[in-house]
Amino acid sequence: MTRGPTLPAHPPPYLPRPLDAFNTAADEEVRTLLLRCLRSPRWSRRLADHRPYPDLDALLAAADEAAYDLSPGELAQALAGESLPELPEDTYSAAHMALSAAQAAYEARFGHGFVLYLGDVPPDETLDRILEAIRSRLTNDPEEERVTAAEELRRLARGRIGQFLGATGSRASSTNAPLSGK
């Protein structure tokens, strides 16, 4: 059996990627986007100033490194910028009360809002996961909880960056359940 002539190999056409737009956007635009990912001006500036990034993994690694370097004051500022997630409309008022009470207990113990990255938790499990995490973390000592909250903020930032730049498997930032007492 003979085959017909094969076409010469041609590179696929170049299509701009969201990361390309991120790398070439104006500094202020990028900083504003990054502040939506993690509410820390220094973190946002640091990531914007180190562009361009060759790929999403490099950007996420830089985001992690910058998040690990947050001072206690910058961490407090980032935590203060987070807000309660919206619960589904059909959530019972008792569930809202339970969440408010758990949040108040957490804030009284640690002096800042609760934050939790929910990743791919289905919406119908969100409330249970949040309440479970608050109860569990209430047993932490303040320093242990500061480290845990910083890690959750880092995970939120990664998820939000992935969502903004079109990475697969990322959920909308509004469902990545940042919690605080705002």
Side-chain angles (χ1 to χ4, degrees):
M1 173 175 196
T2 60
R3 296 178 65 190
T6 59
L7 296 174
H10 293 289
Y14 174 77
L15 298 175
R17 301 171 299 154
L19 184 61
D20 297 331
F22 175 85
N23 281 331
T24 59
D27 286 346
E28 193 58 36
E29 184 180 344
V30 170
R31 287 185 187 127
T32 300
L33 170 80
L34 290 169
L35 278 172
R36 293 175 58 198
C37 297
L38 182 69
R39 280 107 179 137
S40 168
R42 183 172 148 254
W43 180 87
S44 173
R45 260 190 324 275
R46 186 170 169 189
L47 288 180
D49 291 349
H50 285 93
R51 293 177 299 152
Y53 294 97
D55 54 39
L56 182 59
D57 288 339
L59 171 57
L60 293 176
D64 285 348
E65 182 181 333
Y68 289 128
D69 291 342
L70 291 176
S71 71
E74 290 164 337
L75 177 59
Q77 181 182 27
L79 284 167
E82 297 296 335
S83 60
L84 288 167
E86 291 186 26
L87 296 177
E89 285 185 29
D90 60 348
T91 303
Y92 293 107
S93 63
H96 286 277
M97 288 179 13
L99 180 57
S100 293
Q103 174 68 15
Y106 180 91
E107 283 189 22
R109 172 140 169 76
F110 298 112
H112 60 79
F114 180 80
V115 64
L116 176 67
Y117 174 72
L118 291 172
D120 293 326
V121 173
D124 62 334
E125 295 177 23
T126 297
L127 178 65
D128 290 337
R129 195 69 61 92
I130 293 168
L131 289 172
E132 175 187 324
I134 290 175
R135 287 185 199 114
S136 171
R137 288 169 50 187
L138 276 168
T139 63
N140 290 348
D141 65 60
E143 179 57 23
E144 181 181 17
E145 184 53 29
R146 187 191 68 73
V147 170
T148 300
E151 177 64 14
E152 292 300 319
L153 278 174
R154 185 192 64 75
R155 293 177 68 210
L156 272 169
R158 285 179 65 91
R160 290 170 178 162
I161 289 170
Q163 181 225 346
F164 287 136
L165 296 181
T168 58
S170 297
R171 291 176 55 191
S173 63
S174 64
T175 60
N176 285 344
L179 294 175
S180 79
K182 288 183 81 176

